Amino acid sequence: MYETVMGPAFEALADPVKSFHRTRGRRTLHGWVRTEAPASWPARLLARSLGTPLHPVSGAIRFELDATPACETWVRHFPGKTMRSRMRLVKGELTERLGPTLLYFQLLAEDGRLVMQLRALKFLGIPCPRWALPRIVAEEEGRDGCLHFRISAALPLIGQVAGYTGYLAIDAEVPSNQ
């Protein structure tokens, strides 16, 4: 899916990033993660509706991926919290469904990293005005056979809703049915 959206720019990504996004079928990956707490009680309510972590923790992460050419289901098992989302290709564009939110991303390759830039958002089917879009950092880079990620989302006046960093071991991927 990512390769389809990015076209030739996909080849500029680091090998672990390309390997992860070329995965087909069901896979379970393991790694490490550090989560951050939402910044305010409104941010906490939003985080709860999205399924993102509510408490700052560090520890093991288990990541389940079910990937087809047109859809990917991601299940992130953080310490004490599970978060699900679904990526789809819609008219040649990558979308992510996270709870009641639908995010539209532009995908860029920058210095071997994958950078996902938020282009639009719908919450409960209602388009979010451009001025109210969250500030999202969604980056992946590859080094030492691992996919390193940095994710954060913050809303104006509400603050950070979600934040987590860590890595997944790509070379050690194991089919989830084993």
Side-chain angles (χ1 to χ4, degrees), residues 31-49:
W32 177 90
V33 67
R34 184 182 76 232
T35 66
E36 299 173 22
S40 63
W41 69 266
R44 189 173 176 79
L45 288 174
L46 279 171
R48 190 177 302 277
S49 77

Side-chain angles (χ1 to χ4, degrees), residues 8 10 13 21-22 26 40 73 77 86 90 95 104-105 115 125 139 146 155 159 164 166 173-174:
F10 185 83
L13 298 174
H21 289 292
R22 284 182 170 149
R26 294 175 187 258
S40 63
T73 301
H77 297 278
R86 178 166 288 172
V90 177
T95 64
Y104 297 80
F105 287 104
V115 177
E139 298 178 345
C146 293
L155 284 165
Y164 56 95
E173 68 182 29
V174 178

Side-chain angles (χ1 to χ4, degrees), residues 4 10 12 16 30 46 61 78 83 89 101-102 105 107-108 110-111 128 139-140 143 165:
T4 299
F10 185 83
H30 298 272
L46 279 171
I61 184 172
F78 298 104
M83 178 177 138
L89 279 177
T101 304
L102 184 61
F105 287 104
L107 305 179
L108 305 169
E110 293 181 3
D111 300 321
C128 179
E139 298 178 345
E140 299 172 355
R143 61 181 187 274
T165 59

Side-chain angles (χ1 to χ4, degrees), residues 43-66:
R44 189 173 176 79
L45 288 174
L46 279 171
R48 190 177 302 277
S49 77
L50 299 172
T52 61
L54 300 173
H55 305 286
V57 295
S58 294
I61 184 172
R62 188 175 86 241
F63 183 96
E64 296 172 5
L65 173 65
D66 186 0

Side-chain angles (χ1 to χ4, degrees), residues 75-174:
V75 182
R76 304 156 187 91
H77 297 278
F78 298 104
K81 181 71 175 168
T82 297
M83 178 177 138
R84 290 175 173 78
S85 67
R86 178 166 288 172
M87 314 306 185
R88 288 189 186 270
L89 279 177
V90 177
K91 298 179 183 174
E93 185 172 58
L94 182 79
T95 64
E96 180 177 14
R97 167 72 63 190
L98 188 60
T101 304
L102 184 61
L103 305 137
Y104 297 80
F105 287 104
Q106 178 180 7
L107 305 179
L108 305 169
E110 293 181 3
D111 300 321
R113 295 177 298 127
L114 172 64
V115 177
M116 298 174 65
Q117 288 186 343
L118 183 66
R119 195 187 61 66
L121 178 147
K122 290 182 181 178
F123 186 75
L124 297 171
I126 301 166
C128 179
R130 193 139 187 82
W131 62 267
L133 282 176
R135 292 179 317 277
I136 292 185
V137 173
E139 298 178 345
E140 299 172 355
E141 65 179 303
R143 61 181 187 274
D144 304 323
C146 293
L147 174 86
H148 292 261
F149 51 84
R150 182 168 67 112
I151 310 296
S152 68
L155 284 165
L157 304 175
I158 292 178
Q160 180 168 295
V161 174
Y164 56 95
T165 59
Y167 68 85
L168 296 171
I170 300 302
D171 292 338
E173 68 182 29
V174 178

